[in-house]
Amino acid sequence: MLTTTDSAVVSAPQRFLSRRGLLGGLAGLGAIAAMPGPAQALAGTREWRLAIRNVHTNESVDALFARNGQFVPEGLAELNHGLRDWRTGEATVMDRKLLALLVSLRRTLDVGDNRKIDLISGYRSPKTNAGLRARGGQHTGVASQSQHMLGKATDIMVPGVSLDRLHGAALALGGGGVGFYPRDGFVHVDTGRVRHW
């Protein structure tokens, strides 16, 4: 599992001149191996950028979160804020595998790096999650132990891309859970175990 101190997780093997560099490089390669297949496919990419727009607040974030195999703390902080619980304002450290999965999904759909993904829900505080469950009962699809509460899930749509196509691309990547909500106008993607509904 990645932590906030992981840094060299998105680059291909590089020549290191010091023992510390070598050990850091090996740790980075191990982190890549732990990431889902889509993230491994992006390992040689020099820059990882994610652009999102919260449909509830109309706030947008376009953040470079990794460059040349190193996470960019400012970009990660922007995304953590942009993916926060919009109802309470609470934020968490979002799973870096999820960020990589969203980048890979956008590239699979062949939409530009600056094309914003519309965010319906990112991080969900336990209070928000409990409120949504209470409002809709057991049949709303709001899990009591939701991946949203772990910073490992988003509910999204991509303007100009049909939900069917988005859903198919998410399933094909096999990066975790995929939920299809055509009536509500979004697709759920998470980095939990691979499953679909």
Side-chain angles (χ1 to χ4, degrees), residues 67-193:
R67 177 189 292 124
N68 297 327
Q70 302 293 316
F71 283 115
V72 178
E74 298 83 7
L76 290 172
E78 285 182 60
L79 289 168
N80 290 338
H81 180 74
L83 292 162
R84 74 190 181 281
D85 183 335
W86 62 271
R87 291 173 178 89
T88 67
E90 293 175 63
T92 193
V93 175
M94 298 301 291
D95 184 12
R96 294 174 186 181
K97 293 179 186 180
L98 177 65
L99 302 180
L101 181 62
L102 292 173
V103 170
S104 188
L105 181 58
R106 188 188 58 224
R107 290 188 180 168
T108 298
L109 293 167
D110 197 27
V111 296
D113 283 354
N114 294 324
R115 175 74 94 45
K116 289 182 176 68
I117 294 172
D118 278 354
L119 177 73
I120 286 80
S121 182
Y123 171 66
R124 233 186 254 154
S125 68
K127 177 181 177 182
T128 293
N129 202 72
L132 290 172
R133 281 183 58 79
R135 188 178 318 147
Q138 297 291 326
H139 305 291
T140 64
V142 178
S144 61
Q145 299 300 315
S146 172
Q147 296 290 311
H148 287 277
M149 294 192 305
L150 303 174
K152 294 183 173 190
T154 56
D155 297 334
I156 59 170
M157 56 186 251
V158 180
V161 174
S162 73
L163 283 181
D164 286 331
R165 186 171 167 229
L166 176 59
H167 178 239
L171 287 173
L173 287 172
V178 177
F180 190 41
Y181 297 89
R183 198 172 75 184
D184 297 316
F186 67 83
V187 172
H188 168 100
V189 293
D190 69 49
T191 53
R193 63 184 171 78

Side-chain angles (χ1 to χ4, degrees), residues 28-65:
L29 292 176
I32 290 173
M35 294 180 91
Q40 292 176 32
L42 292 173
T45 306
R46 290 180 55 104
E47 293 187 346
W48 288 15
R49 174 177 292 281
L50 187 57
I52 58 169
R53 181 186 75 91
N54 186 309
V55 300
H56 304 286
T57 64
N58 205 34
E59 294 176 347
S60 292
V61 173
D62 183 352
L64 174 70
F65 68 94

